[in-house]
Amino acid sequence: MGLTLEDLNYVPEMPENVKNIVIIGAGGIVTGSHLPAYKMAGYPVKGIYDLNYDKAKQAAEDFDIPNAAEKLEDLIALGVKEDAVFDIAVPASKTASILRQLPDGAAVLMQKPMGESIEQAREILDICHEKNLTAGVNFQLRQAPYMIAARKLIADGVIGDIVDIDWRVVELHPWHLWSFLFGLERMEINYHSIHYIDCIRSFVGDPTNVYCKTMQHPKMTDLSQTRTSIIMDYGNVLRVNLHINHNHDYAPDYQESMMKIEGMKGAIRIQLGLILDYPTGRPDKVEYITDDGEGWRELEVKGSWFNEAFIGTMGGLMKKLEDPSYHYMNSVEDAYHTMCVVEACYKSNAEGGTPVEYGR
């Protein structure tokens, strides 16, 4: 028996009145996370479309969706009729062409990344502005219950001013689940570490510079990159470091999936269990320590990244539609800043480090 919305003790901000949803794409992320989350939240899904009609039809049957559209234009017409939010979950390179087909003034939540390059991200942002779309990008990790809990601890002053963030991922990732990733020039940061970059931004804002190296592994040469190191530069007080290794094929004993935030008065440590043995995952864990001398203690947090975080990205968009002055943390404008950081990472990787001078 899964969790219900009432079970969650750290709940994302929700609209007073939910809106209908129509979904473009019926892949694993939709059937495995979007639809279960929307069902938990009570968000009504009125229709679904996929290039593979059988997949759309199966998703409609599995989740009691009244309409499985055979054509994209039929799904869009249904969305207009139902005054629905358009939920786009397709490969990032296809997002812009779909946005152009939506009616002006529509509400839309698109799957991350926001394109596969900064040029595609700018195109998406321009389309959203030209068509006056109320738009968000599904960077849902910042909406996970344990991130909401951490944000509250920080807002309450429990750990003081943040001075250090470490993100460590050491595991063996099942990349075969996403066949479209094979052959892409830009892979690991665009489709994985982007989550961590975006989540860090939600805590401490935009870095001024980045230092990055992203690379292949000899055992996984069909993918352009599976290991990444990133320093996000916030000046001389706040240190932010990401250590990502998806090729740790040596039993689960020393696998890691951890974010640690240190402040002047204490620290928070979050284990993101989903990444350990994905997609089954292992338990999440939130711990914190303060300067009261009582040591580390665990904070009970119900719910996880998948599927509960998907409630907040859609719910926030609906809340924005209710109140245009509401600060929607997953707005397309904020997401564009994440894409700017990602682009800087790839630029840093291409330009290389400072040569070491060994001469006398």
Side-chain angles (χ1 to χ4, degrees):
M1 186 74 177
L3 292 171
T4 66
L5 190 64
E6 290 72 26
D7 292 327
L8 303 183
N9 55 346
Y10 291 93
V11 183
E13 294 183 327
M14 304 276 286
E16 292 185 14
N17 300 294
V18 301
K19 291 183 67 69
N20 294 327
I21 300 169
V22 293
I23 302 180
I24 299 170
I29 193 66
V30 168
T31 57
S33 294
H34 290 231
L35 289 170
Y38 298 165
K39 185 175 182 179
M40 182 188 300
Y43 300 157
V45 180
K46 296 297 184 179
I48 189 166
Y49 163 81
D50 194 274
L51 285 171
N52 183 334
Y53 176 65
D54 289 339
K55 289 172 66 176
K57 187 176 179 181
Q58 187 63 56
E61 292 176 3
D62 292 344
F63 290 92
D64 299 319
I65 301 170
N67 298 284
E70 294 191 57
K71 298 180 180 178
L72 177 57
E73 51 264 40
D74 294 339
L75 190 281
I76 293 173
L78 176 66
V80 173
K81 177 184 174 183
E82 297 286 354
D83 188 27
V85 175
F86 291 90
D87 187 6
I88 301 175
V90 300
S93 61
K94 308 300 181 184
T95 300
S97 64
I98 293 174
L99 290 175
R100 292 191 184 281
Q101 299 177 63
L102 300 184
D104 291 356
V108 56
L109 179 64
M110 64 199 85
Q111 189 54 263
K112 65 82 195 169
M114 187 179 164
E116 292 182 340
S117 66
I118 197 64
E119 291 79 16
Q120 290 182 18
R122 289 193 192 108
E123 181 184 11
I124 289 169
L125 185 64
D126 288 344
I127 295 169
C128 290
H129 289 166
E130 290 165 7
K131 296 178 70 64
N132 194 30
L133 304 178
T134 303
V137 178
N138 211 332
F139 285 119
Q140 69 288 135
L141 178 55
R142 55 167 71 189
Q143 296 272 13
Y146 42 69
M147 294 304 174
I148 297 172
R151 205 170 279 114
K152 186 176 188 305
L153 287 173
I154 293 165
D156 290 347
V158 172
I159 68 167
D161 293 339
I162 299 173
V163 295
D164 204 278
I165 297 178
D166 257 331
W167 209 307
R168 293 185 60 84
V169 175
V170 181
E171 46 82 52
L172 185 65
H173 211 63
W175 295 112
H176 64 276
L177 296 176
W178 304 276
S179 58
F180 73 93
L181 297 178
F182 290 78
L184 292 182
E185 182 181 352
R186 294 181 170 189
M187 201 287 292
E188 199 286 320
I189 302 173
N190 255 355
Y191 284 93
H192 192 96
S193 288
I194 192 170
H195 279 299
Y196 310 142
I197 291 169
D198 180 76
C199 192
I200 288 168
R201 284 192 55 252
S202 76
F203 281 97
V204 293
D206 294 330
T208 56
N209 301 281
V210 297
Y211 307 85
C212 174
K213 179 68 176 177
T214 185
M215 65 188 75
Q216 280 187 332
H217 191 282
K219 290 184 178 180
M220 203 171 284
T221 55
D222 289 340
L223 289 168
S224 55
Q225 307 95 24
T226 56
R227 295 175 294 165
T228 302
S229 296
I230 301 171
I231 295 173
M232 297 170 68
D233 187 354
Y234 288 87
N236 294 327
V237 175
L238 171 60
R239 184 193 76 106
V240 177
N241 187 59
L242 293 87
H243 171 100
I244 313 297
N245 175 9
H246 297 294
N247 292 92
H248 184 75
D249 190 13
Y250 305 104
D253 304 59
Y254 295 106
Q255 290 189 359
E256 296 179 80
S257 176
M258 180 273 296
M259 179 194 195
K260 179 171 57 65
I261 306 171
E262 296 185 6
M264 291 295 289
K265 301 196 309 182
I268 301 167
R269 188 183 188 280
I270 302 170
Q271 176 170 293
L272 294 80
L274 174 70
I275 301 303
L276 303 173
D277 192 26
Y278 185 93
T280 303
R282 297 186 212 155
D284 302 317
K285 191 173 185 179
V286 180
E287 300 170 282
Y288 70 99
I289 188 170
T290 72
D291 56 6
D292 60 10
E294 295 186 10
W296 285 94
R297 66 213 79 176
E298 186 169 352
L299 178 67
E300 182 185 13
V301 177
K302 297 178 180 178
S304 189
W305 181 355
F306 286 27
N307 301 310
E308 290 77 14
F310 290 76
I311 295 172
T313 48
M314 178 58 78
L317 178 58
M318 293 181 182
K319 195 170 178 67
K320 180 69 173 179
L321 294 171
E322 286 181 341
D323 177 9
S325 67
Y326 170 69
H327 174 67
Y328 176 39
M329 70 158 59
N330 289 94
S331 72
V332 69
E333 290 81 11
D334 188 273
Y336 180 73
H337 281 218
T338 292
M339 297 304 298
C340 290
V341 178
V342 168
E343 185 67 22
C345 287
Y346 283 116
K347 187 171 187 291
S348 174
N349 179 72
E351 293 178 352
T354 302
V356 180
E357 299 290 346
Y358 292 105
R360 297 182 64 177

